[in-house]
Amino acid sequence: MAKIIPFRAVRPTRAIVGLVASRSYQSYTIEEREARMEYNPYTFLHIVNPGYKYDQVITGEERYKLVKNRYLEFKEDHVFIQDDKPSFYVYKIVNRHHQTFNGIIAATSAEDYEKDIIKKHEDTIESREKTFKNYLKTVGFNAEPVLLTYPDNSTIASIIEETQKKHAEYEFTMTYKDTHYLWKVDDEAVIKTIQDEFKKMDTIYIADGHHRSASSYLLYQEEKANNPNHNGTESYNFFMSYLIPESDLVIHEFNRLVKDLNGLTKEEFLVKLDADFRIQNRGNTPYTPTKQHHFSMYLDGDFYSLYLRKNTYDFKTSLDALDAQILYKTILKPILGINDLRNDNRISYSHTHGSIEMVNIKGSVDSGEFKIGFGMCAVTIEQMKQIANDGLKMPPKSTYILPKLRSGITIYEF
C-alpha cells in the first residue's frame, strides 16, 4: 500500500521559473556552470554552488551552510514563494524529441522505502548516501524529485488529463528545448482520490534517484531516533518524488568503452570471445543490436555483431539475463580484467541512443582514447521490475532513464 501526501511546495514565481530551473549540478561542465551563473542571477545553480559568489571552491559542512544561506536569500528576495495549501502537482514534460511525460509531484514515504513498497534496482554507495544525508540535514530541503514509476492507472490518468485542461501554473521552455508545465492540485476530494489509488498499489519502483532516496531514508532514521515524540507525520518522514506511469517511462541503454585489451592482441582477444559469442565482422557498417543478448562491438576499425551462445551461459536469475550483466560476466571481468565497474578508470560509459551511438563509439575508439567499444539493447521495464522484485541489483550504468528532471521547480522543506 503506497503512501503519498500533498505538501506546500516552495517554488519560483511564474515570471522567472524558467530562469531558476536547472539541470543537476553534476551534468554541467565547469564552463557551462560558470556561464549560466555569470549571466543568470536567478539560476538554482547559485544556491547549490555558493562558493561562486566568493570565487572559492567550498566543500563539506561549510558549503552546506552556505547553500542554506543562498536558499534563504532567494526566499527573502521573493524569488521563491510557498503555497498556502498542501497540494499535489501535475507535471508534464515534452522534450526536444517530442516525447511526453505526465505525472504527479508528491511527498512519498520513507517508511515505504524501508518496507520495500518502494523497490530499488541499483546499488548505492554508502559514503555517498551519508554525504547527501548530511547535506539534506543541514540545508533542510529537497529540490529535485526522485523519479518513481507506478503501474498504469486509469483513474489517475483521468485526473491528470482533466487537470491539464486548465490553465497551467507554469509553462516554460529550457535551453535544451524541453517544455515544462505544472498545475497545482489542492482540491481535497481530488487529493483523496489520488491517495486512494496509490493505496491500492503494492509496489512502486525507483526509476532514477537511488542515492537521493537512500539519503532521505537515512535522514528519516536519524531524525526518528532523535525525536522522542515521533508520530510519523513529521516532514522528515517523506521525500519529494515525481511519479509517472510505467507507459511514460523511457529507458535507453548505457554502452561501454574500454581503454585497452588487458595485454591481449586483437587476435587473442577474439579467440577468447569466441567461447561465449558467435562473432561476425561487419566491416565499416555500423551495427546496432535489436534483440536481447545481441551486442555490437567496435575494434580496430571494424564493427562486429556478437550473439551470445546460450548453451554456454547459465541463466540462474533475472539478473543473469540482463545484457549489462552478461557483458560483465563474459567479457569485461574475465577477459578484460575489469572487476570494479564503478571505480576502474579503464572503463567509461556512453548513452547516446541508436545508430548515432555506434558512430560516437567509433569516434572515441578511432581517436585513440579507447581501444574497444560495446553496444547493447536497452533494459525493458519488465526486466527492471523483475530484478527489483527479486531483490537483486543491476550493474552500474545499466539504464539511462527519461525524463531527466530539473532542480528548483518545486522544493520540499523538512
Side-chain angles (χ1 to χ4, degrees), residues 278-302:
R278 180 179 173 182
I279 306 168
Q280 181 178 348
N281 187 324
R282 295 177 179 259
N284 60 7
T285 303
Y287 168 71
T288 302
T290 57
K291 293 176 64 176
Q292 298 290 323
H293 314 329
H294 289 188
F295 301 83
S296 58
M297 181 175 78
Y298 184 74
L299 171 64
D300 196 25
D302 289 326

Side-chain angles (χ1 to χ4, degrees), residues 11 14 17-18 21 88-96 98-105 160 163-174 177-185 242 244 405-406 409-410:
R11 51 191 182 85
R14 184 183 303 182
V17 60
F88 288 137
Y89 300 87
V90 169
Y91 188 42
K92 175 181 176 181
I93 304 171
V94 181
N95 70 16
R96 57 181 170 170
H98 309 292
Q99 295 166 312
T100 299
F101 309 94
N102 296 284
I104 295 171
I105 295 175
I160 289 174
T163 300
Q164 291 179 349
K165 291 178 181 178
K166 301 172 184 176
H167 181 69
E169 188 78 12
Y170 294 151
E171 179 180 350
F172 63 96
T173 301
M174 304 290 291
K177 299 182 180 179
D178 294 352
T179 302
H180 300 251
Y181 306 81
L182 181 138
W183 294 262
K184 185 168 64 170
V185 178
Y242 178 43
I244 68 170
L405 305 180
R406 297 297 186 264
I409 298 173
T410 56

